[in-house]
Amino acid sequence: MMPQLPAALADVRALTFDVFGTVVDWRSSVIRESEALGARLGLRVDWAAFADAWRGGYAPAIDRVRRGELPWTRLDDLHRMTLDRLLDDFGIADALDEAEREHFNRVWHRLDPWPDSVAGLARLRERYVLATLSNGNVSLLVNMAKRAGLPWDCVLSAELAGHYKRDPEVYRMAARLLDQPPERILMVAAHMDDLQAAHREGFRTAFVKRPLEHGPDATPDLTVDPCVDLVADDFHELADRLGLPG
């Protein structure tokens, strides 16, 4: 028997998705490509620690933009600033020339989806408009979708708002460009602070658990805020909870 669609979600017309960690497995993807680079160049590096440190530089870099210490800077360029610092920190700065650094930096364009992502999104797209709502810049999100086969109807990026999540301007931009009142948009994310920020702007919210985002040894916080309308273990369960056929 098909689950009953929650009444609060009956008028939802569009789903917006956080991407890094929610749709794609950034950590495994970065580690895998880093290990291949290290093998090719003969580098002995703890690439899991490197990937974690690279992602760890994400929030501080965005905060520098938010505080006005940096002008608006797209995520590709923030990633590159962090990469250059980490190559020094890990003692391998001399091993990569400019072309290799630029290619390596674009590993974030080549992230692999979680196993359920492509098929789950295809199910959801049968009823809803699907859009990214990510801090990734537009070209990054387009390249990622093209490579991974992610079936977005629309690519929305913080770049279009000139603000990074969790600034309210990002969610307001999405509602405006999708031409929907926020209560008709369901924000889907594996990060509670993203959902809380979307909820403050009137969005409906769905928490999709990704306990392996930070690796098998991490202890994720899967606490669910009362603002969340739906909780699912993956996109197929989300589709089920929304009453879509399998």
Side-chain angles (χ1 to χ4, degrees):
M1 185 174 179
M2 192 171 293
Q4 182 70 33
L5 178 67
L9 304 181
D11 291 332
V12 166
R13 297 292 180 267
L15 275 55
T16 54
F17 290 78
D18 171 69
V19 174
F20 298 108
T22 301
V23 179
V24 295
D25 177 6
W26 61 264
R27 188 176 190 268
S28 296
S29 302
V30 172
I31 291 171
R32 183 166 54 253
E33 190 158 328
S34 299
E35 288 175 342
L37 175 70
R40 182 169 60 82
L41 297 180
L43 304 176
R44 297 178 61 84
V45 172
D46 181 344
W47 290 114
F50 191 97
D52 290 337
W54 201 353
R55 182 63 172 175
Y58 168 85
I62 285 173
D63 283 342
R64 290 184 66 195
V65 175
R66 187 174 286 118
R67 292 193 301 265
E69 294 176 18
L70 290 173
W72 171 258
T73 306
R74 66 180 187 158
L75 190 59
D76 271 344
D77 297 322
L78 295 179
H79 276 152
R80 176 60 190 269
M81 292 164 57
T82 303
L83 173 61
D84 287 341
R85 175 175 58 79
L86 289 177
L87 293 175
D88 284 327
D89 291 348
F90 280 76
I92 56 173
D94 293 339
L96 279 73
D97 62 22
E98 175 57 28
E100 288 165 330
R101 289 181 184 225
E102 182 60 24
H103 180 76
F104 192 22
N105 192 57
R106 290 170 70 89
V107 65
W108 299 95
H109 295 225
R110 300 186 292 271
L111 304 180
D112 293 331
W114 293 109
D116 60 279
S117 289
V118 174
L121 289 172
R123 284 182 64 194
L124 293 163
R125 191 168 179 256
E126 290 295 316
R127 178 183 297 164
Y128 301 103
V129 170
L130 305 188
T132 63
L133 190 53
S134 170
N135 282 335
N137 42 280
V138 172
S139 63
L140 182 159
L141 295 169
V142 169
N143 291 339
M144 179 195 295
K146 187 75 170 176
R147 176 184 176 276
L150 300 170
W152 306 122
D153 293 301
C154 182
V155 170
L156 299 181
S157 161
E159 184 178 19
L160 300 173
H163 286 264
Y164 280 114
K165 296 187 303 182
R166 311 322 186 215
D167 289 354
E169 290 86 352
V170 181
Y171 308 95
R172 294 170 189 170
M173 171 272 297
R176 184 179 73 254
L177 294 182
L178 291 172
D179 196 21
Q180 293 288 347
E183 64 271 17
R184 290 192 173 186
I185 303 173
L186 180 68
M187 180 71 202
V188 182
H191 310 119
M192 198 55 61
D193 60 342
D194 199 354
L195 297 176
Q196 290 164 336
H199 172 75
R200 287 193 292 271
E201 298 309 311
F203 282 51
R204 300 301 183 184
T205 55
F207 179 49
V208 175
K209 299 174 187 178
R210 297 299 190 190
L212 295 178
E213 177 183 0
H214 294 280
D217 298 324
T219 304
D221 181 2
L222 300 178
T223 305
V224 179
D225 188 280
C227 77
V228 171
D229 295 293
L230 273 184
V231 179
D233 287 332
D234 59 26
F235 288 163
H236 284 297
E237 185 178 355
L238 178 61
D240 292 341
R241 296 292 307 280
L242 290 170
L244 286 155

